[in-house]
Amino acid sequence: MGFLSAWLSRLASRPFFYRAPRHPFSPSPAITALAPGSDAKERLLSWTRSLIPLAVAAASAGALALDLRPHPSLCDPALDHRIGGKDSTELVVQGSRKELPKEFIEELRSFLQGNITLDYDERFYHGKPQNSFHTAVNVPDVVVYPRSHDDVQKIVTSCNKYKVPIVPYGGATSIEGHTLAPHGGVCIDMSLMKKVKSLHVEDMDVVVEPGIGWIELNEYLKPYGLFFPLDPGPGATIGGMCATRCSGSLAVRYGTMRDNVINLQVVLGNGDFIKTGSRARKSAAGYDLARLLIGSEGTLGVITEVTLRLQKLPQHSVVAMCNFCTIKDAADVAIATMLSGIQVSRVELLDEVQVKAINVANGKNLPEVPTLMFEFIGTEAYAREQTLLVQKIVSEHNGSDFIFVEDADAKRELWEIRKEALWACFAMAPDFEAMITDVCVPLSRLAECISKSKQELDASPLLCTVIAHAGDGNFHTIILFDPNQKEQRLEAERLNHFMVHTALSMEGTCTGEHGVGTGKMKYLEEELGIGALRTMKRIKAALDPNNIMNPGKLIPLHVCI
């Protein structure tokens, strides 16, 4: 305690500078020099004397070294908060990496055998998402391929022991930089864990490993007359779909991932594993941990098993298309259809630029105007009845060219066109990159939000398309730009900002289904508030105290607790 006594003695024996107490709404105070014997000095001496019991208590508690720096997993003021923070304009995610200990690599090899690689090409491939414009300064130091839950548990335990960052890796179809490895570390590629562990036809649920794709799963389920109703981009895996809380075109009828997962098995950051529930269709037992982990983007744990709710394959379906003069008219029809109570399974909107891209890429001759696509399911009579009701709504809102098909091949062709919209855009600008973003607003604000965004997009020199899951207020923009032209990149980012802030001003969200990753972190404080972000940070600190689980994602770096 000698240094504290000496410091207090110096304070009591010589003039010093005193900063006046500041009112919360006052301007920054000036520094005032105080002479010995002043009233302010006497007040400060009284304050310093009050510190003595505190110093004694600290000394008696064994505080021999004083370190007031915050724990790096809670807040690191040294980090560059512009990257992913609320003022971020950068697309390259910064990070610091350290060399992995040789004994750590040997420990991984001891139980993974050949399912581990240090090859640079493999590491680079895993460090750059397929369809994301985001990049990072580093790539993973090692890529591992677990074959079982036990492998994952051992990997995470080793990483926690050596404090090595972990990035879970599924189909790499995510948009917002979720699988970047700015701090290096270990990439856990789940592609070897793709078994269907059990199917319960009578209960209409299935237990799967996280590496299976939704398309593969539906091929497996088809002979049983069942299907899993979520349909994000081709290549997405069930684990990644859980991690990003994805949805797709069928969400308007069946809900998002959080509505279709019954139970998860997850390895937490310290190597412990939990299951979040049973196979019961509903439960009121304890905290809803499954919903906490769905959408956590690998920041809380690694998913090793998923129990999914299934649906019966529709008996009959009808696909319809119609055209409009303006995108507002098309959005108004989508809103009117939902308000009518008609049970559509899909309502998809494409602007005229996207339709043109489809024509160029696929040799089609579709009218290059805003277009709506619908799907109706049920019995043959019911599906046709719903189709005719929507046809009437379309005619009341300046719609035209209403057609519908029931042939299986014709329906498949129409939906494949929609699913391949991104690749169609690249056909118009093959050497460009795509900034793909999404927002979601209350359904009543959809037409206004799309119209405002569309005006800004059309005025831009960049090639931009709009696609919407119009039945639930969610729409996407594909902005094509030359990555070698800085002004084009900045313009793409400006359009992205405009669209997001327009949605937030309408009580919407910065992402309806793509997730946060690194790309949308900068908008979260405006959308959720600092209190919610601090709560998220506390949850992460509790479940991942060493901050090894996908660090630098989802929670903005400027948030401190």
Side-chain angles (χ1 to χ4, degrees):
M1 203 173 74
F3 78 97
L4 283 173
S5 300
W7 177 70
L8 292 171
S9 298
R10 284 197 300 272
L11 282 177
S13 63
R14 67 177 186 174
F16 52 87
F17 289 100
Y18 171 73
R19 184 183 292 273
R22 184 182 177 188
H23 188 276
F25 302 107
S26 67
S28 298
I31 304 296
T32 307
L34 299 178
S38 69
D39 290 341
K41 180 184 175 184
E42 289 301 317
R43 287 196 299 272
L44 189 61
L45 283 175
S46 174
W47 173 76
T48 57
R49 284 192 291 270
S50 71
L51 283 177
I52 294 175
L54 179 61
V56 172
S60 65
L64 300 177
L66 190 63
D67 184 0
L68 299 180
R69 291 173 300 175
H71 191 285
S73 69
L74 305 183
C75 178
D76 189 346
L79 289 173
D80 186 349
H81 294 160
R82 293 171 301 168
I83 308 302
K86 57 184 177 180
D87 299 319
S88 171
T89 58
E90 296 295 326
L91 301 180
V92 179
V93 182
Q94 304 299 311
S96 58
R97 63 175 290 274
K98 61 180 182 180
E99 291 295 324
L100 299 186
K102 290 183 179 179
E103 55 269 29
F104 169 70
I105 299 295
E106 292 308 312
E107 190 170 308
L108 293 180
R109 289 190 193 279
S110 68
F111 58 84
L112 288 172
Q113 307 302 325
N115 295 324
I116 176 173
T117 181
L118 301 174
D119 178 74
Y120 178 78
D121 289 341
E122 198 67 20
R123 293 188 293 117
F124 181 84
Y125 175 81
H126 283 79
K128 177 67 173 76
Q130 294 175 11
N131 306 316
S132 176
F133 53 88
H134 298 285
T135 58
V137 293
N138 294 309
V139 298
D141 295 292
V142 57
V143 181
V144 296
Y145 301 86
R147 289 186 174 273
S148 66
H149 166 85
D150 287 345
D151 281 351
V152 174
Q153 194 170 11
K154 290 175 183 176
I155 292 165
V156 174
T157 300
S158 295
C159 289
N160 190 53
K161 174 181 170 183
Y162 291 94
K163 296 181 174 56
V164 175
I166 292 172
V167 179
Y169 187 93
T173 59
S174 56
I175 301 297
E176 296 292 353
H178 301 84
T179 58
L180 295 176
H183 306 286
V186 174
C187 173
I188 305 181
D189 186 320
M190 308 298 286
S191 59
L192 299 183
M193 292 181 62
K194 53 184 179 182
K195 297 187 186 75
V196 176
K197 300 185 77 171
S198 59
L199 171 64
H200 310 98
V201 175
E202 292 183 353
D203 297 322
M204 294 174 64
D205 69 53
V206 65
V207 182
V208 299
E209 291 182 327
I212 191 170
W214 67 273
I215 295 176
E216 300 168 80
L217 177 60
N218 278 333
E219 286 297 318
Y220 174 88
L221 295 171
K222 191 173 181 180
Y224 301 95
L226 299 170
F227 81 115
F228 181 64
L230 273 69
D231 60 341
T237 61
I238 296 298
M241 291 161 66
C242 290
T244 55
R245 199 189 300 135
C246 84
S247 49
S249 63
L250 288 166
V252 66
R253 185 178 183 95
Y254 297 106
T256 70
M257 203 69 185
R258 70 181 180 184
D259 305 303
N260 290 279
V261 172
I262 298 172
N263 176 40
L264 293 173
Q265 186 169 278
V266 180
V267 177
L268 301 177
N270 63 354
D272 290 345
F273 79 92
I274 61 170
K275 70 169 191 171
T276 63
S278 64
R279 280 203 306 113
R281 283 248 161 171
K282 63 180 183 178
S283 171
Y287 293 138
D288 195 344
L289 296 178
R291 303 303 173 271
L292 171 65
L293 291 159
I294 294 169
S296 63
E297 302 185 3
T299 62
L300 301 180
V302 182
I303 296 168
T304 59
E305 184 182 283
V306 188
T307 304
L308 298 169
R309 187 190 305 266
L310 303 178
Q311 302 291 336
K312 290 290 291 182
L313 280 170
Q315 180 180 345
H316 188 77
S317 67
V318 176
V319 174
M321 289 181 68
C322 52
N323 301 324
F324 298 88
C325 294
T326 70
I327 201 163
K328 184 181 183 302
D329 287 338
D332 282 338
V333 166
I335 296 169
T337 300
M338 299 307 298
L339 290 176
S340 73
I342 295 172
Q343 293 294 305
V344 294
S345 60
R346 287 183 172 109
V347 188
E348 297 291 289
L349 185 155
L350 295 80
D351 78 345
E352 70 281 2
V353 186
Q354 182 61 62
V355 176
K356 180 178 181 179
I358 290 168
N359 284 340
V360 170
N362 298 284
K364 301 292 182 183
N365 193 30
L366 301 171
E368 293 175 1
V369 294
T371 300
L372 276 181
M373 300 176 67
F374 297 90
E375 184 180 62
F376 311 94
I377 63 172
T379 64
E380 185 174 342
Y382 179 81
R384 285 183 178 175
E385 179 188 8
Q386 303 303 298
T387 303
L388 296 177
L389 289 173
V390 169
Q391 184 176 20
K392 184 174 184 296
I393 294 172
V394 169
S395 65
E396 293 169 351
H397 289 79
N398 305 315
S400 63
D401 304 323
F402 188 94
I403 61 167
F404 62 91
V405 296
E406 297 176 85
D407 176 73
D409 290 337
K411 290 185 292 186
R412 189 180 305 111
E413 181 182 357
L414 286 176
W415 287 123
E416 281 178 358
I417 287 173
R418 166 61 187 88
K419 278 294 178 187
E420 295 173 0
L422 174 61
W423 316 118
C425 291
F426 284 133
M428 294 182 70
D431 297 324
F432 280 25
E433 283 194 15
M435 184 176 287
I436 309 166
T437 188
D438 84 305
V439 297
C440 190
V441 294
L443 189 59
S444 62
R445 308 298 299 272
L446 177 65
E448 180 186 2
C449 191
I450 289 183
S451 296
K452 281 189 174 182
S453 299
K454 180 70 173 158
Q455 288 174 7
E456 200 72 16
L457 296 170
D458 287 347
S460 172
L462 300 184
L463 181 64
C464 310
T465 73
V466 172
I467 309 169
H469 305 311
D472 49 21
N474 180 207
F475 73 98
H476 309 260
T477 295
I478 300 174
I479 306 168
L480 294 164
F481 66 98
D482 184 345
N484 299 314
Q485 299 292 325
K486 182 179 179 181
E487 65 275 12
Q488 290 196 20
R489 179 182 67 77
L490 292 175
E491 170 66 2
E493 183 73 1
R494 184 190 71 81
L495 294 172
N496 183 19
H497 281 311
F498 179 85
M499 190 168 126
V500 169
H501 288 301
T502 300
L504 293 178
S505 73
M506 298 179 182
E507 299 182 273
T509 176
C510 66
T511 174
E513 60 183 11
H514 290 171
V516 175
T518 59
K520 291 290 179 74
M521 285 196 297
K522 53 183 168 282
Y523 305 116
L524 288 193
E525 185 174 343
E526 180 180 350
E527 179 174 337
L528 302 175
I530 194 66
L533 297 182
R534 285 175 178 153
T535 301
M536 292 181 191
K537 195 97 170 187
R538 290 186 181 101
I539 292 170
K540 178 164 175 62
L543 297 182
D544 179 27
N546 286 325
N547 194 29
I548 63 170
M549 298 304 309
N550 214 6
K553 314 289 174 59
L554 200 147
I555 303 173
L557 302 179
H558 70 275
V559 177
C560 300
I561 58 174

